[in-house]
Every structure is written in structure tokens, then in C-alpha cells.
Amino acid sequence: MATQSFELVMTTGPTPEKKFTLSKQEVIIGRDANADIVINIAEVSRRHTRMRLEPSGYVVEDLGSTNGTFVNGQRLTGPHMLRPGERIQLGEAVTMSYQVAAFDMNATVVTPASGQETVIGAQAPPAASVPPPQPRAMQPPPAQPAYSGHVPQGPAAQIMPQVEEKQGRPWLWAGLGCIGVMICLVVVGAVAFDFMDLYCTPPFNSLLSFLYSCP
């Protein structure tokens, strides 16, 4: 498991934006060249502030400096447990922000079991290629159940009435034609009979005597 680390970032002072990684159990801040964090300006005492590592983070305390140590604008009169984001002031000239150090995604971590290095954030090796699944063979459609007790009407059965109907129509037309011929003959005969004045001519005079009388 990676250990959480902290840092100080100078916001005002001789080197703004400079970061100081806190990696020791005890960190001394001051103007002294032997200090862990050296800030060489007159307002900072030789041994100005001390930071001590505890299980939950760093505790800061003033070392009897001339201009005092402040946290979020309040002057320290005893040890103070720092929280990420709080501001530490050395007098009025230097301000530093207490932060959790950014986690390096490319850092290496040694596992105790195997002793092998693992690069966090590195891409995993490609997995072994797996052949795509083969498509399933098409199954034939299920067999249709046998007909029981009856046979379905086929095309022939549907065509037969039409064939019989067509076969019966010529007789109808023939009968109508005969009737028409007979009517025509009767009409023509009647016209001819009248035109030739055969009313009193034998044998029509005796056949039609019940209709009229000849002179």
C-alpha cells in the first residue's frame, strides 16, 4: 500500500510556487543553512518552525521565533495538527500551503510477495486472442403434422366447379339460339302470311276458321 505523503507550496515569499516535499519524521524550517527547509530572509528566524510527523499527518509548532508562526491567520501558542489546505505563515513575509502530495500515476510499486515492479497507470498486456464464436447451423423446419380424417382441398378441387360451369354454358347458348331462330321463323312466317294474303287460301281458311270467316 502506498504511503500518503505531504508537501508545502510557497504562495508568498522569496520563491513563490516552489514545492517542499515533507519526507522526514521531523522537519525544521528557518534561515539556518542546516535547516531542512531554508528560507534565507531576515524576517525568518534561524530555527523558526518545526513540523513533526504523526500517524494522521504533520503537527506544526513554533520554535520561539521572533515574528511568530501562524496557521490560517492565528498565531500558534502550542502544537497544531495540520489539515490539507491550511496556510502556514512565518511572520508576515512567507506563506506556505500544506497539501497532500500529488500521486504519481507512473510511479512503481514493489509487491512484497513477488518482488516484481508494477507500473501504475501502464497499459495491461493484451489478452490472448479468442476466436469468434462459430455461427450455429440452420435447423430444418419441423415436419408438418399428418392430416387426420380429411384431406385438404387441393388446387384441382377448386378448379373443377369452374371447368364444369364453363362446360355447361354452350348448351345454354345453343338452347337460346334455337329459341331465337324459332321466333324469327314465326315472325317471318307471319309477315309472309299477311303479305301474301293467305287467310282464305286452303288449308289456312279451315285451320284458322275459328279466328275469322272468309267471304
Side-chain angles (χ1 to χ4, degrees):
M1 180 182 295
T3 303
Q4 192 175 36
S5 58
F6 301 90
E7 64 184 6
L8 293 176
V9 180
M10 184 177 292
T11 55
T12 58
T15 55
E17 304 300 328
K18 185 176 181 179
K19 296 181 180 180
F20 303 93
T21 302
L22 305 177
S23 59
K24 298 176 63 176
Q25 189 73 26
E26 183 178 272
V27 178
I28 302 298
I29 305 173
R31 195 175 69 250
D32 195 333
N34 294 322
D36 298 297
I37 299 177
V38 179
I39 303 177
N40 192 12
I41 59 176
E43 188 146 349
V44 176
S45 300
R46 296 176 61 84
R47 292 172 59 87
H48 196 106
T49 305
R50 177 171 60 191
M51 299 182 66
R52 185 177 69 256
L53 181 62
E54 298 291 342
S56 57
Y58 277 89
V59 175
V60 62
E61 60 181 328
D62 186 70
L63 295 179
S65 63
T66 302
N67 296 309
T69 301
F70 300 79
V71 174
N72 296 333
Q74 298 294 324
R75 186 163 186 167
L76 295 179
T77 58
H80 173 79
M81 174 62 68
L82 289 169
R83 292 176 295 180
E86 289 188 322
R87 294 176 292 106
I88 302 173
Q89 294 174 256
L90 307 181
E92 296 180 357
V94 178
T95 304
M96 293 183 291
S97 176
Y98 176 72
Q99 299 179 2
V100 177
F103 186 73
D104 187 1
M105 294 300 294
N106 295 320
T108 58
V109 178
V110 178
T111 57
S114 61
Q116 297 179 354
E117 292 185 354
T118 302
V119 179
I120 300 176
Q123 296 182 355
S129 59
V130 179
Q134 298 295 329
R136 298 180 59 184
M138 297 296 294
Q139 297 293 333
Q144 298 293 332
Y147 294 98
S148 58
H150 69 281
V151 178
Q153 183 179 7
Q158 298 178 2
I159 298 175
M160 289 301 295
Q162 298 180 3
V163 174
E164 293 178 358
E165 182 180 358
K166 290 182 179 180
Q167 291 179 352
R169 287 181 180 178
W171 294 99
L172 177 63
W173 291 113
L176 292 175
C178 293
I179 294 174
V181 171
M182 293 178 62
I183 293 174
C184 290
L185 291 176
V186 171
V187 173
V188 171
V191 172
F193 185 87
D194 184 72
F195 179 76
M196 298 177 64
D197 194 18
L198 298 178
Y199 297 103
C200 295
T201 303
F204 301 107
N205 55 352
S206 57
L207 292 174
L208 301 176
S209 59
F210 63 92
L211 296 175
Y212 58 91
S213 59
C214 294

